[in-house]
Amino acid sequence: MGILEDKSRARLFYKYLSKVYDTVNPFIWNEEMRDEALAMLDVAEGDRVLDVGCGTGFATEGLLEHTQNVHGLDQSVHQLEKAWDKLGKHDPVSFYRGDAERLPFEDDSFDVVWSSGSIEYWPNPVVALRDMRRVVKPGGQVLVVGPNYPKSSVMQKVADAIMLFYDREEADRMFREAGYTDIRHREMGPNYDPDIAITTVARDPVDE
């Protein structure tokens, strides 16, 4: 387990990263990538959408282009404060401080659940994926963007020491273990590293 796959360390990390997050983020996770990921979803106007690990609200802004019923959750109050500055604390987005592994919502509460740049910090990603499946409606989509596992053995060792990196095979395993169906993956990234991220979209089974 990497050093940042710990909730208290991750909160401390983002206390300081939040100051420069919106400056650094475009070099790793930009609007083109966000739009490509959004195109993998079926978001209808009026759909109730949850952004897990919403951070400063970068993905939240993209979701608002598709529906006005968006809810954002993050464990870092410092990241949330940046999101509030951009989008307001209650309107047009409802923000919550909370844990991805224990989402403070009723079963079948959302049409779509989204999470980008968050899974790499989850100590128990399958537990969080199960809880995301719990709160999405039967047949609803869940999309997760995380860091793709490096190809270099040296970089793999560095990655493993920091936080969760994974490939298609591991993403498939996690989502299947969490009970999803119709699982699809896509690598994406900026021009200098087009495979830096892996995006997975899957559905909660209808017949359960």
Side-chain angles (χ1 to χ4, degrees), residues 31 85 89 123 126 150 152 167 193:
E31 287 188 18
D85 287 344
K89 198 167 184 178
V126 173
S152 159
D167 57 16
D193 193 350

mmCIF file of all heavy atoms in Angstrom, residues 31 85 89 123 126 150 152 167 193:
data_model
loop_
_atom_site.group_PDB
_atom_site.id
_atom_site.type_symbol
_atom_site.label_atom_id
_atom_site.label_comp_id
_atom_site.label_asym_id
_atom_site.label_seq_id
_atom_site.Cartn_x
_atom_site.Cartn_y
_atom_site.Cartn_z
ATOM 1 N N GLU A 31 -9.330 19.532 -19.615
ATOM 2 C CA GLU A 31 -10.717 19.587 -20.072
ATOM 3 C C GLU A 31 -10.996 18.582 -21.187
ATOM 4 O O GLU A 31 -12.075 17.993 -21.246
ATOM 5 C CB GLU A 31 -11.053 21.006 -20.552
ATOM 6 C CG GLU A 31 -11.208 22.009 -19.431
ATOM 7 C CD GLU A 31 -11.720 23.347 -19.929
ATOM 8 O OE1 GLU A 31 -12.278 23.397 -21.064
ATOM 9 O OE2 GLU A 31 -11.587 24.337 -19.192
ATOM 10 N N ASP A 85 -15.615 28.328 -3.504
ATOM 11 C CA ASP A 85 -15.243 29.634 -4.064
ATOM 12 C C ASP A 85 -15.671 29.735 -5.530
ATOM 13 O O ASP A 85 -16.072 30.801 -5.996
ATOM 14 C CB ASP A 85 -13.732 29.847 -3.968
ATOM 15 C CG ASP A 85 -13.258 30.122 -2.546
ATOM 16 O OD1 ASP A 85 -14.111 30.450 -1.696
ATOM 17 O OD2 ASP A 85 -12.051 29.993 -2.287
ATOM 18 N N LYS A 89 -21.526 27.237 -2.107
ATOM 19 C CA LYS A 89 -21.555 26.128 -1.153
ATOM 20 C C LYS A 89 -22.793 25.260 -1.300
ATOM 21 O O LYS A 89 -22.763 24.063 -0.976
ATOM 22 C CB LYS A 89 -21.474 26.684 0.275
ATOM 23 C CG LYS A 89 -21.065 25.669 1.318
ATOM 24 C CD LYS A 89 -20.712 26.351 2.630
ATOM 25 C CE LYS A 89 -20.212 25.358 3.662
ATOM 26 N NZ LYS A 89 -19.819 26.012 4.929
ATOM 27 N N PRO A 123 -7.953 3.449 0.667
ATOM 28 C CA PRO A 123 -7.313 2.259 1.250
ATOM 29 C C PRO A 123 -7.975 0.963 0.805
ATOM 30 O O PRO A 123 -7.311 -0.062 0.651
ATOM 31 C CB PRO A 123 -7.468 2.463 2.762
ATOM 32 C CG PRO A 123 -7.700 3.925 2.934
ATOM 33 C CD PRO A 123 -8.434 4.367 1.703
ATOM 34 N N VAL A 126 -12.280 -1.563 -3.454
ATOM 35 C CA VAL A 126 -13.449 -2.403 -3.737
ATOM 36 C C VAL A 126 -14.599 -2.042 -2.798
ATOM 37 O O VAL A 126 -15.767 -2.015 -3.203
ATOM 38 C CB VAL A 126 -13.090 -3.904 -3.642
ATOM 39 C CG1 VAL A 126 -14.346 -4.765 -3.759
ATOM 40 C CG2 VAL A 126 -12.093 -4.286 -4.726
ATOM 41 N N PRO A 150 2.312 2.356 -14.627
ATOM 42 C CA PRO A 150 3.424 2.639 -15.539
ATOM 43 C C PRO A 150 3.962 1.361 -16.180
ATOM 44 O O PRO A 150 3.877 0.270 -15.607
ATOM 45 C CB PRO A 150 4.479 3.274 -14.617
ATOM 46 C CG PRO A 150 3.762 3.672 -13.381
ATOM 47 C CD PRO A 150 2.615 2.726 -13.237
ATOM 48 N N SER A 152 7.265 1.090 -17.188
ATOM 49 C CA SER A 152 8.643 0.930 -16.734
ATOM 50 C C SER A 152 8.679 0.294 -15.346
ATOM 51 O O SER A 152 7.941 0.705 -14.436
ATOM 52 C CB SER A 152 9.340 2.296 -16.695
ATOM 53 O OG SER A 152 10.450 2.282 -15.847
ATOM 54 N N ASP A 167 -3.876 -1.266 -13.867
ATOM 55 C CA ASP A 167 -4.091 -1.430 -15.299
ATOM 56 C C ASP A 167 -5.506 -1.938 -15.568
ATOM 57 O O ASP A 167 -6.319 -2.069 -14.647
ATOM 58 C CB ASP A 167 -3.036 -2.374 -15.896
ATOM 59 C CG ASP A 167 -3.021 -3.744 -15.214
ATOM 60 O OD1 ASP A 167 -3.991 -4.080 -14.497
ATOM 61 O OD2 ASP A 167 -2.033 -4.474 -15.393
ATOM 62 N N ASP A 193 1.663 12.365 -22.591
ATOM 63 C CA ASP A 193 1.530 11.036 -21.997
ATOM 64 C C ASP A 193 0.079 10.564 -22.173
ATOM 65 O O ASP A 193 -0.722 10.639 -21.247
ATOM 66 C CB ASP A 193 1.914 11.071 -20.515
ATOM 67 C CG ASP A 193 2.105 9.674 -19.925
ATOM 68 O OD1 ASP A 193 1.750 8.700 -20.612
ATOM 69 O OD2 ASP A 193 2.612 9.556 -18.794
#
